Structure formats: C-alpha cells, structure tokens
Amino acid sequence: MIAATLEAKGGYRVDFADTGAQGLTMLSEGLRKFDCLLIDVNLPDMTGIGFLENARALRGYDETPMIVVTKSDDETTIVDAFCAGATDFLAKPFIPSELIARLSVAQPQTRQRSHDVPAPRRQTLPAVAGVTAPSYRSSDVFLNFLHSLDPGQVRKTTLIAVDHLAAHDMAAAHRDPENVVAAVVNAMSFVFDGQLVICTSMTEHQVVAALSARPSETPLMLTHQLVERIQVTHRNAGGWTPGIVVGNPITPSMFFADEPLRLLERALLSVERRRRAVESDRNVENGLPIGGRAGMRGRIRTADDFA
C-alpha cells in the first residue's frame, strides 16, 4: 500500500527489505543508490536504531535522508533515533500525504546541502567528563527532539532550566566548567528520576531539561534538592557548594499552542530572570546599588516576576 501510494502520487520508485540484514546488504552492494530510507523501529532481526547506525557508517549514506517510522510516540525512542543519525521521525498511523510531504522536504535538504552545512549524522554524547546520566545529549539532538514533537506530545512535555552560578565556587574548589555541568546534570538525573527524557547545555552556565511530567515541587524546593544531591555526591570535594537557580517549569498554555522552541525560550527566560533576582538580592544584602530594583526588596516575589 505504501509503495503503491508513493509510486502513484509521489513518483517514487520503492524497494523493500524484509529484514535489517537484507536492507544493509542492499545498501552495501551498491547496485542502486537510494535517495531516502524509511526505517521501521521494529525490525525482525535488529532494532531500527541499530540499522540506522549501521547504515550511516556505509560509504555514500552519511548524508542520505533517513526517516524513522514507528508506532511508538515514546520520547526516549525519538531521542535515540536522532542520536543515531535520523533526519526525521514519523509516527504511525500516518496518512500517505504526510509521508510524501516528509519525503519532499527531506530530499531537497540533500540536493541543496553545501560543504558548510553538516550532514545529519550520528550525534554522540558531548565530551563532558563525569557525566553519567544517559539522558544528556548534544544541543543539536535536543533541538531535533523538540522539532519532532507533535502537538499531543508537546502538551505532555515540561521544560525546565537550571543556571549554575558557580564562577566563585569553581575557583574555590579548583573546578572547571565541565565538572560543574557534570555535577548539575547528574543531580538532575537523580532528582527527576523517571521524568527526565533529555537534557543538554544550552549555554556555558545553563542546562535545560525536557520532562515527561510537571514536577510537583516549587523551583525553590527543586533548588534545595539539587544542591543537596550535589553536596552528597561531592562530599570529598572540599565542601563544594554550587550556586544553583532553577527556573519555573514551563508547559504549553491552555489557550495557545506553544511551539516547542517557544517553550525553550520561555524556560531560559524564566531561569535568567530568577538568576538576576538572586544576584540583585545579594547586591542589596552587600549594600551595593542595583539601580531600579530596590523596590523589589521586602516584597514576596510571585511567579509573575519570573515566568
């Protein structure tokens, strides 16, 4: 049915492989150079993710569009697919016109790709020493994950950002930025256990995470939990205490369909506002002028100050 539709409405020539091994043989023998690959996650002899990794390693297929097709809308599967080098992700059931639209978008990406634009290839873990959380991925994979979410998945996703204000703390503990990132990410993996889908470093001092559920704790409570976890795991590091600020958990509005990247912007803006508020309070306590923020002292801040 798929082949007939693609040939009739899209003008494509379609070849099928019954197993992953057969598909890899078709690619490696080189009798035909395929312009695009549709890969089912559930193959009889291997996973679709494994097939994708092997296909990307073959000569001539490092830039070929590869679309992963699956019945699963599990976020972890989506992340794994993009980490293995997927170009796009398509969930079953889908209508033929949607598949044709994805193919029409994917193919020009290959034809128009210049040498300055990186090909969609396997995205490995960032080289951050000490990170043990499997959910930590490159920012490219994180953005691909957000782009792949359909409206239903977006509504179930919560983004939360953490700012580690650790410049003076790092100097005191003789630590470098990567050590701090590792400590924060590992603590997030522990605190958000079962909810953390994927996280990444968006800036030198901000880590953002996608959660499958909204935390019940307040940002202040989450801050205490993260700091406590870091102190427990770094007990022998000279009493190192990180400066951490947690932003508001960001979920889509009930009345407006937020785009995934808009959610990311809101998460980063929230933690940035909280960080500035913390710095402002420190300046007030130290008797430093803060220009226009003095009126904030003595008033209980609400979510409107940070969201």
Side-chain angles (χ1 to χ4, degrees):
M1 179 179 177
I2 294 179
T5 301
L6 291 177
E7 291 173 354
K9 296 185 177 181
Y12 296 98
R13 177 183 170 183
V14 182
D15 286 337
F16 279 94
D18 294 324
T19 65
Q22 182 183 353
L24 291 173
T25 299
M26 293 170 62
L27 299 180
S28 60
E29 286 181 346
L31 299 180
R32 282 189 57 196
K33 174 64 172 68
F34 294 94
D35 297 319
C36 185
L37 302 182
L38 299 179
I39 306 168
D40 197 300
V41 166
N42 298 312
L43 297 174
D45 57 339
M46 66 177 69
T47 66
I49 305 300
F51 176 90
L52 183 58
E53 292 176 332
N54 283 287
R56 278 284 178 227
L58 294 176
R59 182 177 181 182
Y61 285 95
D62 57 336
E63 298 185 7
T64 302
M66 298 186 186
I67 302 176
V68 173
V69 181
T70 179
K71 292 181 180 179
S72 172
D73 62 353
D74 177 61
E75 291 93 341
T76 302
T77 302
I78 300 176
V79 172
D80 290 342
F82 283 118
C83 288
T87 309
D88 204 348
F89 188 92
L90 187 60
K92 299 178 183 178
F94 54 83
I95 58 178
S97 59
E98 182 181 6
L99 175 57
I100 293 175
R102 298 291 183 96
L103 291 172
S104 64
V105 170
Q107 285 188 297
Q109 291 178 353
T110 299
R111 290 194 293 266
Q112 298 174 6
R113 192 181 305 281
S114 70
H115 294 294
D116 297 329
V117 180
R121 61 186 73 236
R122 182 175 182 180
Q123 300 283 348
T124 57
L125 287 172
V128 177
V131 172
T132 59
S135 55
Y136 186 66
R137 301 293 180 180
S138 70
S139 57
D140 288 340
V141 171
F142 188 90
L143 293 175
N144 283 342
F145 166 78
L146 292 183
H147 279 301
S148 72
L149 297 177
D150 61 35
Q153 293 168 327
V154 171
R155 285 193 293 270
K156 296 185 294 184
T157 301
T158 296
L159 296 188
I160 190 166
V162 175
D163 194 308
H164 42 90
L165 313 172
H168 59 283
D169 299 316
M170 285 188 295
H174 304 289
R175 293 184 166 271
D176 56 51
E178 287 193 353
N179 292 132
V180 177
V181 171
V184 171
V185 170
N186 293 337
M188 292 175 69
S189 180
F190 179 85
V191 172
F192 298 124
D193 181 40
Q195 297 178 331
L196 181 59
V197 178
I198 182 173
C199 63
T200 192
S201 299
M202 295 304 298
T203 69
E204 291 182 355
H205 56 91
Q206 291 175 333
V207 176
V208 62
L211 309 179
S212 59
R214 184 182 179 90
S216 58
E217 299 89 349
T218 66
L220 183 59
M221 293 171 62
L222 292 173
T223 300
H224 290 322
Q225 290 178 14
L226 290 172
V227 170
E228 180 179 327
R229 180 61 186 174
I230 292 175
Q231 289 176 330
V232 168
T233 55
H234 293 76
R235 190 168 294 165
N236 298 324
W240 176 53
T241 302
I244 291 179
V245 174
V246 179
N248 281 342
I250 303 298
T251 54
S253 168
M254 294 176 58
F255 306 102
F256 301 98
D258 285 313
E259 293 292 330
L261 291 185
R262 173 57 181 158
L263 294 179
L264 177 59
E265 291 174 357
R266 289 172 56 196
L268 295 176
L269 179 60
S270 174
V271 77
E272 178 67 15
R273 287 174 173 172
R274 283 189 177 275
R275 181 183 67 81
R276 291 178 180 177
V278 169
E279 292 176 343
S280 173
D281 287 343
R282 287 179 178 176
N283 288 339
V284 169
E285 292 174 359
N286 294 331
L288 300 177
I290 55 177
R293 296 298 299 273
M296 293 290 290
R297 192 183 186 192
R299 179 173 73 82
I300 299 177
R301 291 189 175 87
T302 66
D304 294 334
D305 295 317
F306 306 106

